[in-house]
PDB file of all heavy atoms in Angstrom:
ATOM      1  N   SER J1089       6.392  26.199 -19.809  1.00 95.00           N
ATOM      2  CA  SER J1089       7.783  26.109 -19.363  1.00 95.00           C
ATOM      3  C   SER J1089       8.727  25.988 -20.555  1.00 95.00           C
ATOM      4  O   SER J1089       8.415  25.320 -21.553  1.00 95.00           O
ATOM      5  CB  SER J1089       7.969  24.909 -18.430  1.00 95.00           C
ATOM      6  OG  SER J1089       9.345  24.742 -18.125  1.00 95.00           O
ATOM      7  N   ALA J1090       9.903  26.605 -20.452  1.00 93.00           N
ATOM      8  CA  ALA J1090      10.899  26.521 -21.526  1.00 93.00           C
ATOM      9  C   ALA J1090      11.525  25.131 -21.612  1.00 93.00           C
ATOM     10  O   ALA J1090      12.149  24.794 -22.620  1.00 93.00           O
ATOM     11  CB  ALA J1090      11.997  27.557 -21.288  1.00 93.00           C
ATOM     12  N   PHE J1091      11.344  24.297 -20.573  1.00 93.00           N
ATOM     13  CA  PHE J1091      11.975  22.971 -20.549  1.00 93.00           C
ATOM     14  C   PHE J1091      11.021  21.843 -20.957  1.00 93.00           C
ATOM     15  O   PHE J1091      11.424  20.697 -21.044  1.00 93.00           O
ATOM     16  CB  PHE J1091      12.494  22.673 -19.134  1.00 93.00           C
ATOM     17  CG  PHE J1091      13.493  23.676 -18.625  1.00 93.00           C
ATOM     18  CD1 PHE J1091      13.100  24.722 -17.801  1.00 93.00           C
ATOM     19  CD2 PHE J1091      14.835  23.569 -18.969  1.00 93.00           C
ATOM     20  CE1 PHE J1091      14.019  25.646 -17.326  1.00 93.00           C
ATOM     21  CE2 PHE J1091      15.762  24.479 -18.508  1.00 93.00           C
ATOM     22  CZ  PHE J1091      15.351  25.526 -17.680  1.00 93.00           C
ATOM     23  N   ILE J1092       9.747  22.152 -21.189  1.00 92.00           N
ATOM     24  CA  ILE J1092       8.712  21.117 -21.345  1.00 92.00           C
ATOM     25  C   ILE J1092       8.894  20.295 -22.627  1.00 92.00           C
ATOM     26  O   ILE J1092       9.267  20.821 -23.675  1.00 92.00           O
ATOM     27  CB  ILE J1092       7.309  21.775 -21.336  1.00 92.00           C
ATOM     28  CG1 ILE J1092       6.204  20.705 -21.292  1.00 92.00           C
ATOM     29  CG2 ILE J1092       7.137  22.667 -22.556  1.00 92.00           C
ATOM     30  CD1 ILE J1092       6.076  20.020 -20.003  1.00 92.00           C
ATOM     31  N   GLU J1093       8.668  18.992 -22.512  1.00 90.00           N
ATOM     32  CA  GLU J1093       8.596  18.092 -23.670  1.00 90.00           C
ATOM     33  C   GLU J1093       7.115  17.880 -23.992  1.00 90.00           C
ATOM     34  O   GLU J1093       6.394  17.218 -23.249  1.00 90.00           O
ATOM     35  CB  GLU J1093       9.263  16.751 -23.320  1.00 90.00           C
ATOM     36  CG  GLU J1093       9.058  15.655 -24.352  1.00 90.00           C
ATOM     37  CD  GLU J1093       9.596  16.035 -25.709  1.00 90.00           C
ATOM     38  OE1 GLU J1093      10.814  16.066 -25.866  1.00 90.00           O
ATOM     39  OE2 GLU J1093       8.778  16.311 -26.608  1.00 90.00           O
ATOM     40  N   LEU J1094       6.671  18.430 -25.126  1.00 88.00           N
ATOM     41  CA  LEU J1094       5.246  18.451 -25.428  1.00 88.00           C
ATOM     42  C   LEU J1094       4.735  17.138 -26.013  1.00 88.00           C
ATOM     43  O   LEU J1094       3.530  17.009 -26.253  1.00 88.00           O
ATOM     44  CB  LEU J1094       4.943  19.612 -26.387  1.00 88.00           C
ATOM     45  CG  LEU J1094       5.174  21.012 -25.793  1.00 88.00           C
ATOM     46  CD1 LEU J1094       4.965  22.076 -26.848  1.00 88.00           C
ATOM     47  CD2 LEU J1094       4.245  21.240 -24.602  1.00 88.00           C
ATOM     48  N   ASP J1095       5.618  16.180 -26.250  1.00 87.00           N
ATOM     49  CA  ASP J1095       5.157  14.886 -26.757  1.00 87.00           C
ATOM     50  C   ASP J1095       4.468  14.056 -25.677  1.00 87.00           C
ATOM     51  O   ASP J1095       3.856  13.036 -25.980  1.00 87.00           O
ATOM     52  CB  ASP J1095       6.337  14.083 -27.321  1.00 87.00           C
ATOM     53  CG  ASP J1095       6.844  14.680 -28.620  1.00 87.00           C
ATOM     54  OD1 ASP J1095       6.091  15.462 -29.232  1.00 87.00           O
ATOM     55  OD2 ASP J1095       7.978  14.368 -29.010  1.00 87.00           O
ATOM     56  N   HIS J1096       4.607  14.471 -24.423  1.00 89.00           N
ATOM     57  CA  HIS J1096       3.981  13.746 -23.314  1.00 89.00           C
ATOM     58  C   HIS J1096       2.911  14.617 -22.669  1.00 89.00           C
ATOM     59  O   HIS J1096       2.977  15.854 -22.714  1.00 89.00           O
ATOM     60  CB  HIS J1096       5.025  13.353 -22.264  1.00 89.00           C
ATOM     61  CG  HIS J1096       6.033  12.371 -22.780  1.00 89.00           C
ATOM     62  ND1 HIS J1096       5.810  11.022 -22.807  1.00 89.00           N
ATOM     63  CD2 HIS J1096       7.273  12.561 -23.296  1.00 89.00           C
ATOM     64  CE1 HIS J1096       6.867  10.406 -23.323  1.00 89.00           C
ATOM     65  NE2 HIS J1096       7.765  11.326 -23.622  1.00 89.00           N
ATOM     66  N   SER J1097       1.938  13.953 -22.070  1.00 91.00           N
ATOM     67  CA  SER J1097       0.835  14.690 -21.448  1.00 91.00           C
ATOM     68  C   SER J1097       1.272  15.307 -20.119  1.00 91.00           C
ATOM     69  O   SER J1097       2.215  14.833 -19.473  1.00 91.00           O
ATOM     70  CB  SER J1097      -0.356  13.755 -21.213  1.00 91.00           C
ATOM     71  OG  SER J1097       0.047  12.670 -20.392  1.00 91.00           O
TER      72      SER J1097
END
Side-chain angles (χ1 to χ4, degrees):
S1089 173
F1091 301 97
I1092 188 72
E1093 171 59 72
L1094 294 175
D1095 289 342
H1096 295 276
S1097 58

